[in-house]
Amino acid sequence: MTLLERYILRRATQMFLVALLPVLAIIWTIQVLQRINLVTDTGQSMGSFVTLATMLLPTLIPVVLPFALVIAITQTLTAMNTDSELAIIDASGAPRSVIFKPILILGTVLSLVSFGITNFAEPPARTAARQMVAAAYADLLSSVIEEKTFRTIQDGLYVQIGERQGRILRGLFVADRRDPNYDLIYYAKEGMIDEGGASLTMRDGEVQQKTPDGKVSVVKFLSYAFDLSTMSEKSDNEPSISSSDASLSFLLSPDESVESYKKSPGGFRSELHRRLSDWLFPIVFALISLVVAADARSHREARLHPMVAALITAFMLRWLGFYFTNQVKQSAAFIPFVYAVPVVSGGIAVFLLATGKKLLMPRALVNALQKVQKRLSPAKATGSGGQSA
């Protein structure tokens, strides 16, 4: 790699990190705040909360990474064009590969990183996070709830205990309004959570059932088991496996006896092809950014900012990718379209780079976006109008 290629690679990499880290931090913070109830509801330590928050990162990085790469490449090449560096490179007779090579190396490396995170880091992180939340709520009744205070376990499920002695709960009150067809209120002298957190066994009490028409029935019991399996997301037979939690090997050769796979085989099919196609977008977006911003342009030429053109194209392709991936849940006939989006768009970009042709956008769209740019920027654009991106 020549000195100039290393220079371009270093600038693009630095700009990529500058674009990635702030956006990732903002999205990560939003996701973390949505799960702050793990601390407030279950009394977990801040260490557990930080661990859970860290497990969210593998799910966010593959989504943010391609767009950060677009911003990095277009900003780097635009700055080089503004400083006349691209024009000097062209005037020196250097081949176009001097610009293409470092950008494509960066895009390829990030594609491989995306593949590794999506297929080998994200599934176990999702599983560990779900198990942590399930364990916290399973242990909520027996070890966390304060005595003589109401606590919301789930929407519509409320618990109060008079006294706690280890796993034995005395003076137990449970209000269950999760079913809109009737309200249930349980009173019991004592209760106990089983070690698996799957059920609450209440002794010597009564249950009151109230229907929507106002009728109330009361049943006394010596022993009553209250099901908590839906709260802890555990089953007596096997753990629940969602498509996003499944490993790549399971998706390639699924066990059809798994209950969650029986309920939604299309979801597992869609997840497989999502993982096998999403990692292509960083290298495709790198090619598109080169098409948009790799040419030396005159400062007098009025045109759409390369970053805007590249991001619009990237968002459109990413939306198409999400759309066809979701359609695979209903029909396997959409599978070719999942791969066609990155492959065809990447092929078009390679053709434009090889032939030296420019990517053109509709004049109406260019004019509309230029008006927005003029409103946002105090400087007025000069020169003749154009429609090249």
Side-chain angles (χ1 to χ4, degrees):
M1 185 177 290
T2 64
L3 179 63
L4 183 56
E5 290 171 344
R6 290 198 299 270
Y7 167 74
I8 296 175
L9 178 60
R10 183 177 67 254
R11 286 192 61 173
T13 303
Q14 292 174 347
M15 185 57 64
F16 167 73
L17 295 177
V18 170
L20 174 69
L21 296 180
V23 176
L24 184 62
I26 293 172
I27 298 177
W28 179 69
T29 302
I30 294 173
Q31 295 294 320
V32 167
L33 292 178
Q34 292 177 351
R35 293 164 175 79
I36 193 67
N37 63 324
L38 180 68
V39 176
T40 58
D41 288 351
T42 66
Q44 296 296 301
S45 66
M46 185 57 64
S48 299
F49 179 70
V50 172
T51 301
L52 177 64
T54 304
M55 293 176 183
L56 297 176
L57 286 175
T59 67
L60 302 176
I61 293 176
V63 178
V64 180
L65 185 149
F67 298 102
L69 180 60
V70 170
I71 296 173
I73 296 174
T74 53
Q75 181 60 31
T76 299
L77 296 179
T78 300
M80 291 180 65
N81 183 64
T82 302
D83 296 336
S84 301
E85 292 175 312
L86 294 183
I88 294 173
I89 292 174
D90 289 344
S92 67
R96 302 296 293 165
S97 60
V98 171
I99 300 174
F100 297 166
K101 183 178 177 180
I103 298 301
L104 293 180
I105 289 176
L106 179 61
T108 302
V109 170
L110 293 179
S111 288
L112 295 177
V113 170
S114 179
F115 180 84
I117 294 176
T118 301
N119 290 281
F120 303 108
E122 181 180 346
R126 284 180 177 270
T127 301
R130 189 164 59 86
Q131 290 176 348
M132 177 181 292
V133 174
Y137 279 103
D139 198 44
L140 176 62
L141 292 176
S142 60
S143 61
V144 177
I145 292 181
E146 298 179 3
E147 298 175 358
K148 299 179 181 179
T149 60
F150 279 96
R151 179 61 64 90
T152 302
I153 308 301
Q154 281 185 334
D155 290 340
L157 181 61
Y158 312 91
V159 174
Q160 182 193 40
I161 59 174
E163 181 183 3
R164 182 176 61 244
Q165 297 178 352
R167 302 188 70 87
I168 302 297
L169 311 175
R170 301 189 184 280
L172 189 63
F173 172 85
V174 179
D176 186 359
R177 296 182 175 179
R178 294 175 295 177
D179 193 327
N181 295 322
Y182 50 82
D183 295 339
L184 294 172
I185 298 177
Y186 302 86
Y187 303 93
K189 290 185 177 181
E190 68 176 26
M192 183 177 66
I193 306 289
D194 68 353
E195 294 183 358
S199 64
L200 165 65
T201 302
M202 294 180 284
R203 299 185 181 91
D204 192 9
E206 66 180 32
V207 55
Q208 298 180 2
Q209 177 177 318
K210 181 180 179 181
T211 59
D213 58 4
K215 296 181 180 179
V216 178
S217 60
V218 180
V219 177
K220 295 184 179 293
F221 58 81
L222 295 177
S223 180
Y224 189 93
F226 187 84
D227 185 22
L228 298 177
S229 60
T230 56
M231 182 186 72
S232 61
E233 298 185 8
K234 293 183 179 180
S235 172
D236 295 336
N237 298 324
E238 60 179 354
S240 175
I241 301 176
S242 66
S243 58
S244 58
D245 298 339
S247 64
L248 181 61
S249 58
F250 182 90
L251 294 176
L252 291 171
S253 181
D255 183 358
E256 298 183 359
S257 63
V258 175
E259 189 64 28
S260 54
Y261 180 82
K262 292 180 181 179
K263 293 180 179 179
S264 179
F268 285 83
R269 180 177 61 233
S270 174
E271 178 67 16
L272 171 63
H273 295 289
R274 181 192 71 83
R275 294 190 194 178
L276 295 181
S277 62
D278 276 6
W279 69 280
L280 296 172
F281 282 102
I283 184 62
V284 171
F285 287 1
L287 290 168
I288 293 173
S289 300
L290 285 173
V291 172
V292 173
D295 291 332
R297 304 287 184 96
S298 171
H299 302 308
R300 293 181 177 273
E301 179 184 355
R303 59 169 180 148
L304 190 63
H305 194 284
M307 186 184 297
V308 176
L311 283 175
I312 290 176
T313 305
F315 277 117
M316 290 176 60
L317 293 177
R318 204 67 185 91
W319 178 83
L320 285 174
F322 281 128
Y323 173 78
F324 288 123
T325 300
N326 288 330
Q327 293 302 311
V328 171
K329 295 180 181 180
Q330 281 71 41
S331 174
F334 286 93
I335 292 177
F337 296 98
V338 175
Y339 299 95
V341 172
V343 172
V344 172
S345 57
I348 294 174
V350 170
F351 172 77
L352 293 174
L353 291 173
T355 58
K357 295 183 177 181
K358 296 181 180 180
L359 181 64
L360 300 179
M361 299 183 68
R363 180 178 294 276
L365 178 60
V366 173
N367 292 338
L369 292 174
Q370 284 180 349
K371 290 180 180 179
V372 174
Q373 282 184 327
K374 290 179 180 179
R375 291 180 180 178
L376 296 178
S377 175
K380 295 184 178 180
T382 61
S384 58
Q387 61 176 356
S388 60

